[in-house]
Amino acid sequence: MTTPPVPDTVSLAELRQHRARVRTSADLDEGASPTLRELAESLAFSPGDGRIWLNDQRMLLWRSSTYGAMRRELVARLGQEGARSLLTRVGYMAGARDAEMVRRTWPDSDPANTFDAGPRLHGLEGIVRPETVAFQFDIARGDFYAEYLWHDSSEDDEHIAAFDIGSDPACWMQVGYASGYASAFMGKLIIFREVACRSMGDEVCRVVGRPADQWDDPELDQHHFLPDHSARQVGRSVAPQISEVSRPLDDDSRFPDGELIGISASFSAARHLIERVASTSATVLFTGPSGAGKELFAQTLHRISPRAQAPFVALNCAAIPDTLIESELFGVERGAFTGATTSRPGRFERANGGTLFLDEIASLSFAAQGKLLRALQERRIERVGSVRETTVDVRVVAATNVDLRDEVAAGRFREDLYFRLNVFPIHLPPLKERRDDIPLLMEAFLRRYRQQHQRQVPGFTPRAVRALLQYDFPGNIRELQNLVERGVILAGQDEPIDVHHLFRSGEVQGQMPLGLGEGGRLTTTRQPATSPSDGAGEGAGRRPSKNRQEAQQYRNALVASRYNVAEAARQLGLTRAQLAYRLKRLGLD
């Protein structure tokens, strides 16, 4: 095994500092987070809605033979080199995402344990059974070396079944995964290479990982990480990029304010529709429940349209009294009624050349509906108290959280106005129907409120993630936003957001998903009761007594675990970071 290089001339203090930074497999604490048990508990199975989660990442459970069939198709279509490059990059991205998840979930863990979580996750996901030979690294210097044995590789099984024993290694996705995890962990490109493989007739697969600049011929492997290598095989041009290799895990530019966030099918369909209609002047009608993000979609539609440089004007029709809605929409002339001391333009005039967004349009009175219909038909408006008409060039975007067809049938909404508005309808589903977007929204809101409230909250506990993924969100995105802001405020400095920070106003949590129990069997996960230690509204006289009881509980757990903080945390149903914070708060650290 090679060791990280040491400069030829260094002082004794520098040498000691260098050696103190180097982490090796000898530094592993078997009881420290993330343990294999904690990693397994991050898996959640939700049969009711057909989803499997690894903390906040959606997973798939599929047969190894299905992967084998896909692999054979790729080799037949792209050739072996093209298929290898594609699968290597897919594995790389999976490893980088797992590294991001581990560092976000267990931010206070020792780096050696954090790095060792990668091979454990690799085994937990059913791809291979890894055995650590050695690893050591110095993040500050960028030095890295790792060596593993891979037993029972599913990739080898499928490759040998399809192509028999050959002369080349075949654990392409696994090599990509190991490289992606280590690269995200180190912040530089790490290349793993198979030096032995069962697909070449070896008894076991053996891999070695080093920084790209420490291999004699890194180009032998590096070209597999370039997207255009396999894209050329199918006549497509993909810009070569390798952004996932060294992108900082805390890059705040990932979710800029005002941007739509989501990856679910229904979200993608809605975004595709606004992209198709943006270049036109057609009237758009957004439907969907309150809090689903209709105004943000309308703003995005305006921003990507040719009218982007003109005003975007919004009006909540439900917030304006019937007696004032006409003047709000069309403006008013001086002296038109008592109190009209000056002339002022209405929303149509202010939005001239741009977009007028009318939210909750079903709340308009019948009289207001008639006047709006004329404005939409004629593209001419008349201020209240004026005898002169004004031509306006406005794109109208409306939104409603009720079914306008039902309102028409009930006689509360004009049918002719409905058909005038319903030129290009776009439905936005409730958040419970786009659960794949919840992790992205959680992260975006966490970043926003962490900065707004100046709180160093590292993230969410696995229990909090599971609870949010299962919650039905009657208030939709707006409610998720409020829950995350509440969690950021209530969580202590450097303490992750837990369930009791989120659900404090009588919210009814959904059925908890299934998790992995002892022996690998699925079992119902138990949701811990809200911790009274973080409660609000308790009398000052109760606080000292409560703190003494809490401190004694933690002392007992520490004694029972022989002062192993990670084991004590598991006994208490907490993460190691949570317990460490509470011990510090109570003066027990």
Side-chain angles (χ1 to χ4, degrees), residues 100 243 247-256 443 447 450:
E100 183 178 1
S243 60
R247 180 180 65 81
L249 297 179
D250 57 351
D251 180 9
D252 286 332
S253 65
R254 184 178 177 190
F255 301 116
E443 184 177 350
R447 292 176 185 275
R450 187 165 54 188

Side-chain angles (χ1 to χ4, degrees), residues 471-522:
Y471 184 53
D472 280 343
F473 291 103
N476 294 294
I477 297 175
R478 188 178 297 122
E479 184 178 15
L480 174 59
Q481 185 174 347
N482 292 343
L483 288 174
V484 174
E485 182 174 16
R486 181 190 303 167
V488 168
I489 294 171
L490 289 175
Q493 200 77 346
D494 298 321
E495 180 184 14
I497 297 173
D498 207 345
V499 174
H500 59 273
H501 298 133
L502 299 169
F503 300 102
R504 309 182 65 87
S505 301
E507 297 92 348
V508 179
Q509 298 178 46
Q511 182 180 359
M512 293 305 295
L514 301 176
L516 287 181
E518 296 296 332
R521 294 184 178 276
L522 292 180

Side-chain angles (χ1 to χ4, degrees), residues 542-585:
R542 294 182 56 192
R543 177 71 64 179
S545 174
K546 182 196 62 149
N547 283 348
R548 283 195 297 270
Q549 294 173 1
E550 186 181 7
Q552 188 59 48
Q553 180 186 19
Y554 296 155
R555 288 193 192 95
N556 293 341
L558 287 170
V559 171
S561 64
R562 297 184 179 182
Y563 291 89
N564 184 319
V565 176
E567 179 60 31
R570 280 194 294 274
Q571 293 177 10
L572 294 166
L574 303 170
T575 66
R576 188 181 189 281
Q578 286 176 297
L579 181 58
Y581 167 78
R582 296 179 186 189
L583 292 174
K584 182 177 181 181
R585 187 191 64 193

